[in-house]
Amino acid sequence: MKKYGLKKLGNLVICGILGATIILTGCSAKKTSAAKPEETKPAVKVEQKVGSARVTPIVAAVKKLAPAVVSIQVKTTARDFFGRQFEQQGAGSGVIYDAKGLIVTNNHVVSGAKELMVNLSDGRSFNAKLLGADAKSDLAVIKIDAKDLTVAAFGDSDDLQVGEPAIAIGNPMGMEGSVSAGVISALKRTIPIGDKEMKLIQTDAAINPGNSGGALANADGEVIGINTVKLSSSGIEGLGFAIPINEAKPIIEQLASSGRVARPYLGVYLADKEVLARQGFEMDLHGGVFLAKVVPGSGAARAGLVSGDIILEVNGKKTEKAKDVSAALEKLKPGDKVELVIMHNGARVNRTVTLGEVPQEN
């Protein structure tokens, strides 16, 4: 966990303006006998400018969204080196997105939770129930039984532009209701996390431990992403990432309704040219991806695909790497049909596969 401190900045501009106000007031006091009502107007105008200067887009956005961002306290159990069980506590953030008490957060925030407690910005606290979690997207949905909730508005993450304002709201280091601001640094940044890759929004708004699951917002106070990770090592600063809200919404809906995410399943194990080369195999894949194994009973097996075939195209798109096949399938759902062009026994043939559902992990 990275140390950080709070910086205090003096507002020299405001101090200068306030000083000018005092001088103007003093001048008018010396000439009370000749003073006219109009002579006091400049001071009034200065005070109005001071007040309006504080109502920035960021201030307005935070006032709108901050009440919908919650603190999540997590209790889990673990075992020490000797196998003895002990309790440990963690913390994260979440965003209320439905008046029924539905809250989106990160999977890694609630993973293994024995108990969940949600603290609202108005001081109320509630026990929470986990409705569903998805490790692949790092998203989870929890629920509290509460009324009079402030609900966050979702924005459009497909409409973002690099350089526009970004506001991170959460509970870094357990400090509730913290705000940091920056810009959108990059879009669709592919980041390897564990054994998977995620396409995330990159921002230089500070995202620290405890911010996970909180909101990344635009200047309109709309949620454009769910904060998920910060890359930190010696010499690296300003690299925070969030899950685009447009990618998150269908996953959130499935987690809330069924507790899991149904993903399409072709039923094959793939190896592209680079993978085979690392294993010492030099093969002519005709610009495609090698089928190392076909799962018995899968859609691929029923369509006649066998080990040794080469996938050349999926729904008309060329597939030179295993990730190309995954990318072609990610927008589909179980039960959809997919058109493949494969190399089978040296001949180019077409196959239609009905997709199954990725088996759920126990």
Side-chain angles (χ1 to χ4, degrees), residues 69-72 91-95 104-110 138 169-173 207-215 226-230 241:
V69 179
V70 304
S71 169
I72 302 174
S93 305
V95 180
V104 58
T105 184
N106 287 148
N107 171 73
H108 75 261
V109 169
V110 300
D138 194 27
I169 305 177
N171 309 287
M173 314 297 289
I207 296 177
N208 291 292
N211 268 124
S212 292
I226 302 299
N227 299 327
T228 185
V229 67
K230 176 185 179 180
F241 298 91

mmCIF file of all heavy atoms in Angstrom, residues 69-72 91-95 104-110 138 169-173 207-215 226-230 241:
data_model
loop_
_atom_site.group_PDB
_atom_site.id
_atom_site.type_symbol
_atom_site.label_atom_id
_atom_site.label_comp_id
_atom_site.label_asym_id
_atom_site.label_seq_id
_atom_site.Cartn_x
_atom_site.Cartn_y
_atom_site.Cartn_z
ATOM 1 N N VAL A 69 -21.858 7.430 -4.153
ATOM 2 C CA VAL A 69 -20.653 6.615 -3.977
ATOM 3 C C VAL A 69 -20.546 6.203 -2.512
ATOM 4 O O VAL A 69 -20.622 7.041 -1.616
ATOM 5 C CB VAL A 69 -19.394 7.387 -4.414
ATOM 6 C CG1 VAL A 69 -18.144 6.532 -4.202
ATOM 7 C CG2 VAL A 69 -19.514 7.798 -5.878
ATOM 8 N N VAL A 70 -20.381 4.894 -2.279
ATOM 9 C CA VAL A 70 -20.408 4.371 -0.918
ATOM 10 C C VAL A 70 -19.068 3.745 -0.539
ATOM 11 O O VAL A 70 -18.248 3.419 -1.392
ATOM 12 C CB VAL A 70 -21.518 3.306 -0.766
ATOM 13 C CG1 VAL A 70 -22.873 3.881 -1.166
ATOM 14 C CG2 VAL A 70 -21.208 2.058 -1.597
ATOM 15 N N SER A 71 -18.892 3.586 0.755
ATOM 16 C CA SER A 71 -17.742 2.856 1.297
ATOM 17 C C SER A 71 -18.185 1.440 1.635
ATOM 18 O O SER A 71 -19.265 1.243 2.208
ATOM 19 C CB SER A 71 -17.212 3.563 2.548
ATOM 20 O OG SER A 71 -16.267 2.747 3.214
ATOM 21 N N ILE A 72 -17.379 0.458 1.267
ATOM 22 C CA ILE A 72 -17.700 -0.942 1.540
ATOM 23 C C ILE A 72 -16.647 -1.526 2.471
ATOM 24 O O ILE A 72 -15.452 -1.521 2.154
ATOM 25 C CB ILE A 72 -17.753 -1.765 0.232
ATOM 26 C CG1 ILE A 72 -18.774 -1.170 -0.731
ATOM 27 C CG2 ILE A 72 -18.085 -3.226 0.529
ATOM 28 C CD1 ILE A 72 -18.786 -1.845 -2.094
ATOM 29 N N ALA A 91 -11.313 -2.818 2.648
ATOM 30 C CA ALA A 91 -12.251 -1.746 2.310
ATOM 31 C C ALA A 91 -12.165 -1.426 0.833
ATOM 32 O O ALA A 91 -11.132 -1.627 0.192
ATOM 33 C CB ALA A 91 -11.961 -0.492 3.138
ATOM 34 N N GLY A 92 -13.262 -0.948 0.316
ATOM 35 C CA GLY A 92 -13.329 -0.543 -1.087
ATOM 36 C C GLY A 92 -14.446 0.445 -1.265
ATOM 37 O O GLY A 92 -14.991 1.000 -0.300
ATOM 38 N N SER A 93 -14.817 0.665 -2.501
ATOM 39 C CA SER A 93 -15.869 1.625 -2.827
ATOM 40 C C SER A 93 -16.909 0.961 -3.714
ATOM 41 O O SER A 93 -16.696 -0.129 -4.248
ATOM 42 C CB SER A 93 -15.274 2.846 -3.545
ATOM 43 O OG SER A 93 -14.244 3.429 -2.782
ATOM 44 N N GLY A 94 -18.033 1.632 -3.861
ATOM 45 C CA GLY A 94 -19.101 1.144 -4.723
ATOM 46 C C GLY A 94 -19.954 2.304 -5.183
ATOM 47 O O GLY A 94 -19.854 3.420 -4.658
ATOM 48 N N VAL A 95 -20.815 2.036 -6.192
ATOM 49 C CA VAL A 95 -21.673 3.074 -6.754
ATOM 50 C C VAL A 95 -23.120 2.586 -6.771
ATOM 51 O O VAL A 95 -23.415 1.527 -7.331
ATOM 52 C CB VAL A 95 -21.242 3.429 -8.191
ATOM 53 C CG1 VAL A 95 -22.143 4.525 -8.760
ATOM 54 C CG2 VAL A 95 -19.785 3.853 -8.241
ATOM 55 N N VAL A 104 -22.837 -1.362 -7.638
ATOM 56 C CA VAL A 104 -21.787 -2.018 -8.412
ATOM 57 C C VAL A 104 -20.444 -1.717 -7.768
ATOM 58 O O VAL A 104 -20.189 -0.614 -7.279
ATOM 59 C CB VAL A 104 -21.810 -1.561 -9.889
ATOM 60 C CG1 VAL A 104 -21.641 -0.051 -10.021
ATOM 61 C CG2 VAL A 104 -20.726 -2.282 -10.684
ATOM 62 N N THR A 105 -19.567 -2.722 -7.747
ATOM 63 C CA THR A 105 -18.226 -2.580 -7.206
ATOM 64 C C THR A 105 -17.310 -3.529 -7.967
ATOM 65 O O THR A 105 -17.686 -4.094 -8.998
ATOM 66 C CB THR A 105 -18.210 -2.861 -5.688
ATOM 67 O OG1 THR A 105 -16.892 -2.613 -5.176
ATOM 68 C CG2 THR A 105 -18.619 -4.291 -5.379
ATOM 69 N N ASN A 106 -16.092 -3.707 -7.478
ATOM 70 C CA ASN A 106 -15.162 -4.650 -8.100
ATOM 71 C C ASN A 106 -15.289 -6.040 -7.491
ATOM 72 O O ASN A 106 -15.539 -6.182 -6.285
ATOM 73 C CB ASN A 106 -13.710 -4.192 -7.919
ATOM 74 C CG ASN A 106 -13.336 -3.018 -8.786
ATOM 75 O OD1 ASN A 106 -12.519 -2.201 -8.387
ATOM 76 N ND2 ASN A 106 -13.884 -2.915 -9.976
ATOM 77 N N ASN A 107 -15.062 -7.046 -8.307
ATOM 78 C CA ASN A 107 -15.026 -8.417 -7.795
ATOM 79 C C ASN A 107 -13.934 -8.567 -6.749
ATOM 80 O O ASN A 107 -14.129 -9.223 -5.714
ATOM 81 C CB ASN A 107 -14.785 -9.393 -8.955
ATOM 82 C CG ASN A 107 -14.523 -10.809 -8.469
ATOM 83 O OD1 ASN A 107 -15.424 -11.498 -8.012
ATOM 84 N ND2 ASN A 107 -13.273 -11.253 -8.570
ATOM 85 N N HIS A 108 -12.769 -7.957 -6.988
ATOM 86 C CA HIS A 108 -11.670 -8.166 -6.039
ATOM 87 C C HIS A 108 -11.924 -7.474 -4.696
ATOM 88 O O HIS A 108 -11.258 -7.788 -3.704
ATOM 89 C CB HIS A 108 -10.330 -7.722 -6.641
ATOM 90 C CG HIS A 108 -10.109 -6.251 -6.709
ATOM 91 N ND1 HIS A 108 -10.311 -5.509 -7.855
ATOM 92 C CD2 HIS A 108 -9.684 -5.358 -5.770
ATOM 93 C CE1 HIS A 108 -9.997 -4.250 -7.621
ATOM 94 N NE2 HIS A 108 -9.637 -4.124 -6.357
ATOM 95 N N VAL A 109 -12.864 -6.552 -4.657
ATOM 96 C CA VAL A 109 -13.222 -5.918 -3.382
ATOM 97 C C VAL A 109 -14.005 -6.884 -2.491
ATOM 98 O O VAL A 109 -13.774 -6.953 -1.278
ATOM 99 C CB VAL A 109 -14.046 -4.633 -3.625
ATOM 100 C CG1 VAL A 109 -14.652 -4.110 -2.311
ATOM 101 C CG2 VAL A 109 -13.180 -3.552 -4.256
ATOM 102 N N VAL A 110 -14.916 -7.645 -3.090
ATOM 103 C CA VAL A 110 -15.823 -8.500 -2.301
ATOM 104 C C VAL A 110 -15.448 -9.971 -2.336
ATOM 105 O O VAL A 110 -16.092 -10.800 -1.683
ATOM 106 C CB VAL A 110 -17.276 -8.336 -2.795
ATOM 107 C CG1 VAL A 110 -17.727 -6.894 -2.651
ATOM 108 C CG2 VAL A 110 -17.421 -8.780 -4.246
ATOM 109 N N ASP A 138 -13.914 -8.306 -13.413
ATOM 110 C CA ASP A 138 -13.651 -7.682 -12.114
ATOM 111 C C ASP A 138 -14.815 -6.813 -11.661
ATOM 112 O O ASP A 138 -14.627 -5.723 -11.103
ATOM 113 C CB ASP A 138 -12.360 -6.857 -12.145
ATOM 114 C CG ASP A 138 -11.885 -6.482 -10.735
ATOM 115 O OD1 ASP A 138 -12.198 -7.241 -9.791
ATOM 116 O OD2 ASP A 138 -11.217 -5.447 -10.574
ATOM 117 N N ILE A 169 -13.983 9.344 -7.628
ATOM 118 C CA ILE A 169 -14.619 9.505 -6.319
ATOM 119 C C ILE A 169 -14.637 8.147 -5.629
ATOM 120 O O ILE A 169 -15.079 7.150 -6.209
ATOM 121 C CB ILE A 169 -16.061 10.032 -6.445
ATOM 122 C CG1 ILE A 169 -16.086 11.327 -7.257
ATOM 123 C CG2 ILE A 169 -16.682 10.257 -5.070
ATOM 124 C CD1 ILE A 169 -17.481 11.880 -7.481
ATOM 125 N N GLY A 170 -14.148 8.099 -4.407
ATOM 126 C CA GLY A 170 -14.120 6.838 -3.675
ATOM 127 C C GLY A 170 -13.614 7.030 -2.265
ATOM 128 O O GLY A 170 -13.743 8.119 -1.683
ATOM 129 N N ASN A 171 -13.004 5.979 -1.736
ATOM 130 C CA ASN A 171 -12.572 5.986 -0.338
ATOM 131 C C ASN A 171 -11.139 5.484 -0.217
ATOM 132 O O ASN A 171 -10.878 4.442 0.391
ATOM 133 C CB ASN A 171 -13.511 5.100 0.488
ATOM 134 C CG ASN A 171 -14.966 5.460 0.256
ATOM 135 O OD1 ASN A 171 -15.437 6.482 0.725
ATOM 136 N ND2 ASN A 171 -15.678 4.632 -0.496
ATOM 137 N N PRO A 172 -10.168 6.196 -0.800
ATOM 138 C CA PRO A 172 -8.786 5.732 -0.765
ATOM 139 C C PRO A 172 -8.248 5.665 0.650
ATOM 140 O O PRO A 172 -8.482 6.560 1.459
ATOM 141 C CB PRO A 172 -8.041 6.785 -1.593
ATOM 142 C CG PRO A 172 -8.878 8.008 -1.468
ATOM 143 C CD PRO A 172 -10.292 7.512 -1.427
ATOM 144 N N MET A 173 -7.543 4.577 0.936
ATOM 145 C CA MET A 173 -6.946 4.384 2.262
ATOM 146 C C MET A 173 -7.990 4.447 3.364
ATOM 147 O O MET A 173 -7.691 4.785 4.505
ATOM 148 C CB MET A 173 -5.854 5.434 2.516
ATOM 149 C CG MET A 173 -4.881 5.628 1.365
ATOM 150 S SD MET A 173 -3.912 4.159 0.997
ATOM 151 C CE MET A 173 -2.833 4.122 2.405
ATOM 152 N N ILE A 207 -5.852 7.246 -8.236
ATOM 153 C CA ILE A 207 -6.649 6.092 -7.809
ATOM 154 C C ILE A 207 -5.768 5.258 -6.887
ATOM 155 O O ILE A 207 -4.758 4.698 -7.322
ATOM 156 C CB ILE A 207 -7.120 5.250 -9.010
ATOM 157 C CG1 ILE A 207 -8.058 6.077 -9.891
ATOM 158 C CG2 ILE A 207 -7.800 3.973 -8.542
ATOM 159 C CD1 ILE A 207 -8.515 5.364 -11.148
ATOM 160 N N ASN A 208 -6.123 5.202 -5.633
ATOM 161 C CA ASN A 208 -5.315 4.524 -4.630
ATOM 162 C C ASN A 208 -6.108 3.397 -3.977
ATOM 163 O O ASN A 208 -7.317 3.274 -4.193
ATOM 164 C CB ASN A 208 -4.856 5.537 -3.571
ATOM 165 C CG ASN A 208 -3.854 6.530 -4.141
ATOM 166 O OD1 ASN A 208 -2.738 6.166 -4.472
ATOM 167 N ND2 ASN A 208 -4.262 7.781 -4.276
ATOM 168 N N PRO A 209 -5.446 2.528 -3.196
ATOM 169 C CA PRO A 209 -6.167 1.452 -2.521
ATOM 170 C C PRO A 209 -7.383 1.975 -1.763
ATOM 171 O O PRO A 209 -7.285 2.931 -1.008
ATOM 172 C CB PRO A 209 -5.109 0.889 -1.562
ATOM 173 C CG PRO A 209 -3.821 1.146 -2.259
ATOM 174 C CD PRO A 209 -4.000 2.472 -2.931
ATOM 175 N N GLY A 210 -8.521 1.376 -1.993
ATOM 176 C CA GLY A 210 -9.773 1.830 -1.394
ATOM 177 C C GLY A 210 -10.659 2.522 -2.419
ATOM 178 O O GLY A 210 -11.865 2.600 -2.259
ATOM 179 N N ASN A 211 -10.034 3.048 -3.508
ATOM 180 C CA ASN A 211 -10.795 3.639 -4.611
ATOM 181 C C ASN A 211 -11.467 2.569 -5.472
ATOM 182 O O ASN A 211 -12.397 2.870 -6.227
ATOM 183 C CB ASN A 211 -9.890 4.473 -5.520
ATOM 184 C CG ASN A 211 -9.835 5.934 -5.111
ATOM 185 O OD1 ASN A 211 -8.768 6.470 -4.863
ATOM 186 N ND2 ASN A 211 -10.980 6.576 -5.036
ATOM 187 N N SER A 212 -10.968 1.337 -5.393
ATOM 188 C CA SER A 212 -11.495 0.265 -6.234
ATOM 189 C C SER A 212 -13.002 0.130 -6.078
ATOM 190 O O SER A 212 -13.521 0.061 -4.967
ATOM 191 C CB SER A 212 -10.828 -1.064 -5.867
ATOM 192 O OG SER A 212 -9.472 -1.066 -6.222
ATOM 193 N N GLY A 213 -13.705 0.070 -7.201
ATOM 194 C CA GLY A 213 -15.154 -0.045 -7.184
ATOM 195 C C GLY A 213 -15.867 1.293 -7.175
ATOM 196 O O GLY A 213 -17.088 1.340 -7.347
ATOM 197 N N GLY A 214 -15.119 2.374 -7.006
ATOM 198 C CA GLY A 214 -15.713 3.710 -7.000
ATOM 199 C C GLY A 214 -15.947 4.216 -8.412
ATOM 200 O O GLY A 214 -15.750 3.501 -9.402
ATOM 201 N N ALA A 215 -16.368 5.457 -8.515
ATOM 202 C CA ALA A 215 -16.770 6.021 -9.805
ATOM 203 C C ALA A 215 -15.667 6.843 -10.444
ATOM 204 O O ALA A 215 -14.990 7.627 -9.775
ATOM 205 C CB ALA A 215 -18.003 6.900 -9.614
ATOM 206 N N ILE A 226 -15.825 2.340 -13.839
ATOM 207 C CA ILE A 226 -15.699 1.838 -12.475
ATOM 208 C C ILE A 226 -14.210 1.653 -12.196
ATOM 209 O O ILE A 226 -13.531 0.854 -12.849
ATOM 210 C CB ILE A 226 -16.446 0.495 -12.291
ATOM 211 C CG1 ILE A 226 -17.924 0.659 -12.650
ATOM 212 C CG2 ILE A 226 -16.280 -0.007 -10.857
ATOM 213 C CD1 ILE A 226 -18.675 1.657 -11.794
ATOM 214 N N ASN A 227 -13.686 2.413 -11.238
ATOM 215 C CA ASN A 227 -12.254 2.351 -10.926
ATOM 216 C C ASN A 227 -11.861 0.931 -10.545
ATOM 217 O O ASN A 227 -12.542 0.284 -9.744
ATOM 218 C CB ASN A 227 -11.923 3.301 -9.772
ATOM 219 C CG ASN A 227 -12.231 4.747 -10.103
ATOM 220 O OD1 ASN A 227 -12.105 5.163 -11.254
ATOM 221 N ND2 ASN A 227 -12.639 5.519 -9.113
ATOM 222 N N THR A 228 -10.743 0.473 -11.111
ATOM 223 C CA THR A 228 -10.394 -0.915 -10.853
ATOM 224 C C THR A 228 -8.960 -1.137 -10.408
ATOM 225 O O THR A 228 -8.686 -2.006 -9.612
ATOM 226 C CB THR A 228 -10.696 -1.792 -12.091
ATOM 227 O OG1 THR A 228 -10.445 -3.160 -11.773
ATOM 228 C CG2 THR A 228 -9.827 -1.408 -13.283
ATOM 229 N N VAL A 229 -8.008 -0.362 -10.937
ATOM 230 C CA VAL A 229 -6.613 -0.688 -10.623
ATOM 231 C C VAL A 229 -5.723 0.523 -10.845
ATOM 232 O O VAL A 229 -6.015 1.395 -11.647
ATOM 233 C CB VAL A 229 -6.109 -1.865 -11.508
ATOM 234 C CG1 VAL A 229 -6.032 -1.445 -12.964
ATOM 235 C CG2 VAL A 229 -4.763 -2.398 -11.036
ATOM 236 N N LYS A 230 -4.626 0.555 -10.093
ATOM 237 C CA LYS A 230 -3.579 1.537 -10.321
ATOM 238 C C LYS A 230 -2.260 0.790 -10.451
ATOM 239 O O LYS A 230 -1.944 -0.069 -9.633
ATOM 240 C CB LYS A 230 -3.479 2.529 -9.160
ATOM 241 C CG LYS A 230 -2.311 3.519 -9.313
ATOM 242 C CD LYS A 230 -2.146 4.408 -8.111
ATOM 243 C CE LYS A 230 -0.962 5.359 -8.314
ATOM 244 N NZ LYS A 230 -0.764 6.241 -7.161
ATOM 245 N N PHE A 241 -6.718 3.212 -13.802
ATOM 246 C CA PHE A 241 -7.551 2.591 -14.836
ATOM 247 C C PHE A 241 -8.958 2.329 -14.316
ATOM 248 O O PHE A 241 -9.169 2.088 -13.124
ATOM 249 C CB PHE A 241 -6.911 1.282 -15.309
ATOM 250 C CG PHE A 241 -5.559 1.468 -15.932
ATOM 251 C CD1 PHE A 241 -4.402 1.406 -15.171
ATOM 252 C CD2 PHE A 241 -5.442 1.746 -17.285
ATOM 253 C CE1 PHE A 241 -3.150 1.603 -15.730
ATOM 254 C CE2 PHE A 241 -4.195 1.949 -17.863
ATOM 255 C CZ PHE A 241 -3.049 1.874 -17.083
#
